[in-house]
Amino acid sequence: MDKNAIDVHVPVLEDEIAEYLQLRNNGIYVDATLGLGGHSERMLADTSPGGRVIGFEWDGQAARLAVKRLEKYGERFMIIRTSYTKLREGLKNTGIAMVDGLLLDLGVSSLQLDSAERGFSFQTDAPLDMRMDSRQQVTAADLVRTLSKEELADVFYNF
């Protein structure tokens, strides 16, 4: 799936997002939900030769594919392997105080839904995993097995 994922991945609203972000040379942009890197690739292409993109991605599989896709941009692209919820901390740790644009494309992707072993899909019979970051120890199956009905209701309500 890895090579095909990049080949078939089409970023949503690519032209509209590029226009809205007002991409320019030497700008610094954040793709807070990097995924397979389609939006970042457009940002890097449109900000050549000096624009930079910092991508946040906590899904290891997506991060590997995005890095491979964007390696041709060299130091103009940087990945931070964490959730966008840690955006402020991640940028601070890299010494970036201001950015020119920020994109969040929220939700799950076909990369997660189409991989039975990821445990997101209703189309295949597979263990209930649902971890966006496989470095996390607790799976959805663990939560269903150990939490009370009330605690599960809180998880569904709050997250």
Side-chain angles (χ1 to χ4, degrees):
M1 167 167 219
D2 287 359
K3 177 71 171 117
N4 276 349
I6 291 175
D7 292 341
V8 300
H9 174 66
V10 178
V12 297
L13 302 170
E14 180 180 359
D15 292 335
E16 294 83 353
I17 289 168
E19 181 181 341
Y20 185 75
L21 287 173
Q22 299 178 6
L23 299 170
R24 60 181 173 72
N25 181 28
N26 295 322
I28 299 175
Y29 299 90
V30 173
D31 187 345
T33 49
L34 178 64
L36 296 176
H39 287 116
S40 286
E41 186 171 41
R42 173 66 182 267
M43 288 182 217
L44 288 159
D46 286 5
T47 62
S48 183
R52 294 177 50 205
V53 172
I54 295 87
F56 284 74
E57 183 55 59
W58 62 345
D59 181 319
Q61 183 182 19
R64 282 187 300 280
L65 291 168
V67 166
K68 185 173 188 82
R69 178 183 203 153
L70 302 172
E71 67 187 356
K72 62 188 171 193
Y73 295 99
E75 292 182 3
R76 293 181 53 219
F77 171 71
M78 173 192 299
I79 187 167
I80 298 176
R81 282 277 287 119
T82 192
S83 167
Y84 62 86
T85 61
K86 298 188 174 131
L87 183 113
R88 189 174 288 177
E89 176 185 335
L91 290 175
K92 182 179 179 184
N93 290 341
T94 62
I96 297 172
M98 299 284 289
V99 299
D100 296 291
L102 169 70
L103 172 66
L104 287 108
D105 182 9
L106 302 174
V108 295
S109 73
S110 59
L111 183 64
Q112 286 94 25
L113 295 174
D114 294 346
S115 300
E117 66 275 7
R118 298 295 300 270
F120 282 94
S121 178
F122 294 104
Q123 297 175 349
T124 58
D125 188 19
L128 185 63
D129 188 322
M130 300 182 80
R131 291 175 295 165
M132 292 297 284
D133 184 347
S134 60
R135 297 174 296 185
Q136 299 296 316
Q137 298 299 310
V138 179
T139 67
D142 296 330
L143 295 176
V144 169
R145 190 173 41 257
T146 61
L147 296 180
S148 69
K149 280 193 245 183
E150 294 77 19
E151 290 168 319
L152 282 172
D154 286 345
V155 167
F156 294 136
Y157 180 80
N158 290 310
F159 301 106

